[in-house]
Amino acid sequence: MWHAAMWGGISGSAVLLGALAAVFLPIKKRLIGFIMAFGTGVLIGAATYELLEDSVESGGLYATAIGFLGGAVVFSILDIIISKKGAKNRKRSSGNTAENSSGLAIFIGTVMDAVPESIIIGASLIGQQTVSMLLVIAIFISNIPEGLSSTAGLLSSNYSKKKIFALWFAVLIISAICSFSGYTLLDNASEELMAGIAAFAAGGIIAMVGSTMMPEAFEEGGAITGLIAALGLLTSLILDSL
């Protein structure tokens, strides 16, 4: 069960790594856009191949559809709420996206992104004792630019580097705890419930990709964004086939 916490912590650590890069390395926004585009493709593939496909096979289309739509709706509602509080551009790398931002809202938004992802990482260990590497890689890639852009917002909100790193370390711990909880609490869940939860996470991931990652990827990456996203989706397919 401790493997669940470890893999959740690994996926959450990408936010901390992104923060370190934002503080100490001059990374071009175009490169961040490319990373975001690739992560978009990988996440779409992970949601499709690893979550939705398995959900339909194990729990049926009805449970999967309800879970998927529920995840998309809940994420969208929460995203609207925290966006109005100052976390609208938490995955944006541009310096001016920090304007009118709230440090607490950015942190809450990052946690909101991390919780369902981490829970499903832990749940993927149930029954097979092997984590879904596709999910871990996809979430890890998407969290790096979030750490970069969120750190820019916090710095502009006059947060100290020490406090910023403490916040992102807290995200790492929360991710590990949620992954551990996903493994322990869902161990005896029915196939229909597991299917609904996995689909719920998939719906949240797709909603998050569409509202936060795709716009940034195209804005910074330009016309080549589609090709890089396609490469990310192909990578998901390859990883799922291994």
Side-chain angles (χ1 to χ4, degrees):
M1 68 175 63
W2 294 110
H3 283 173
M6 179 189 73
W7 287 114
I10 288 175
S11 66
S13 69
V15 179
L16 183 59
L17 291 176
L20 288 169
V23 172
F24 298 111
L25 297 176
I27 299 178
K28 294 183 179 180
K29 290 186 291 184
R30 187 171 179 82
L31 177 59
I32 298 175
F34 291 161
I35 296 173
M36 194 79 78
F38 187 79
T40 293
V42 175
L43 276 175
I44 291 174
T48 303
Y49 305 132
E50 191 69 27
L51 298 178
L52 292 178
E53 184 178 23
D54 291 348
S55 295
V56 172
E57 291 178 357
S58 62
L61 182 60
Y62 183 72
T64 301
I66 291 178
F68 182 76
L69 290 175
V73 169
V74 170
F75 179 90
S76 297
I77 292 174
L78 293 176
D79 194 42
I80 291 172
I81 293 173
I82 65 169
S83 293
K84 291 181 178 180
K85 298 295 184 179
K88 179 179 180 180
N89 297 309
R90 62 187 180 279
K91 284 185 181 285
R92 292 294 184 107
S93 59
S94 302
N96 58 7
T97 59
E99 294 177 2
N100 301 319
S101 64
S102 162
L104 181 59
I106 290 173
F107 173 72
I108 293 173
T110 303
V111 171
M112 186 182 77
D113 295 340
V115 167
E117 299 169 343
S118 301
I119 290 175
I120 208 63
I121 284 177
S124 73
L125 282 160
I126 297 175
Q128 56 187 10
Q129 300 302 314
T130 302
V131 76
S132 169
M133 290 307 300
L134 175 54
L135 279 174
V136 173
I137 292 172
I139 294 168
F140 187 91
I141 292 173
S142 70
N143 281 343
I144 291 175
E146 179 158 12
L148 285 164
S149 54
S150 297
T151 298
L154 292 172
L155 288 171
S156 296
S157 297
N158 297 318
Y159 275 61
S160 67
K161 294 178 182 179
K162 183 178 180 180
K163 190 172 184 179
I164 290 172
F165 290 136
L167 288 175
W168 297 150
F169 184 75
V171 171
L172 187 159
I173 298 300
I174 291 171
S175 297
I177 292 173
C178 289
S179 187
F180 178 84
S181 300
Y183 179 83
T184 55
L185 297 179
L186 299 176
D187 192 17
N188 297 315
S190 66
E191 290 188 346
E192 290 78 11
L193 178 58
M194 288 292 294
I197 292 173
F200 185 91
I205 287 172
I206 296 300
M208 181 269 289
V209 164
S211 64
T212 62
M213 292 183 70
M214 284 182 175
E216 163 76 351
F218 181 77
E219 182 178 318
E220 303 297 349
I224 199 173
T225 297
L227 173 60
I228 297 176
L231 291 175
L233 183 57
L234 177 60
T235 300
S236 281
L237 177 61
I238 293 172
L239 290 171
D240 186 62
S241 301
L242 295 178

